[in-house]
Amino acid sequence: EVIGSCNSCHDGRRAMTKPIDHLPAGNACDDCHRTTAWVPANFDHAGIVAGWFSCHDGVTAVGKAPNHIPATNVCEDCHRTLSFSPVRQVDHFQVLGTCSSCHNGVIAMGQHPQHIPTTAECDSCHTTNGWR
């Protein structure tokens, strides 16, 4: 019959508090943890206002996969809020590199067979706003 919040006792003096490498979070432990099963924790992303990369940087929490397309760290411009895959749509303003680094027929559709033979980069003739 404990009365009060977790951190009213788990403050680092009376009882152990969250470890130094804990994800940045407030002191409402029961938002993610249960007293009956501390692990696994279930993090609720509701109310998070910082960009995804503020936690999903590959150190604090899982970040971009090594085979991710070259892009900035504004994950939420392409990915859904509850899952990293599949993307809603690619925000080409967040993509780094050349068109053909993705549009190579493997990662994304490349030149169709009837395309004028060229080795020029796509954006020499096309734009992301008006492909044709």
Side-chain angles (χ1 to χ4, degrees), residues 61-86:
V62 175
K64 288 191 276 191
N67 62 344
H68 192 280
I69 65 170
T72 69
N73 293 324
V74 185
C75 315
E76 56 275 11
D77 275 3
C78 297
H79 293 277
R80 298 176 191 271
T81 56
L82 298 177
S83 68
F84 277 115
S85 182

Side-chain angles (χ1 to χ4, degrees), residues 32-87:
C32 302
H33 300 280
R34 294 186 314 266
T35 57
T36 56
W38 196 250
V39 176
N42 295 309
F43 186 77
D44 182 0
H45 287 87
I48 302 300
V49 295
W52 288 14
F53 194 74
S54 65
C55 286
H56 290 276
D57 58 2
V59 177
T60 306
V62 175
K64 288 191 276 191
N67 62 344
H68 192 280
I69 65 170
T72 69
N73 293 324
V74 185
C75 315
E76 56 275 11
D77 275 3
C78 297
H79 293 277
R80 298 176 191 271
T81 56
L82 298 177
S83 68
F84 277 115
S85 182
V87 298

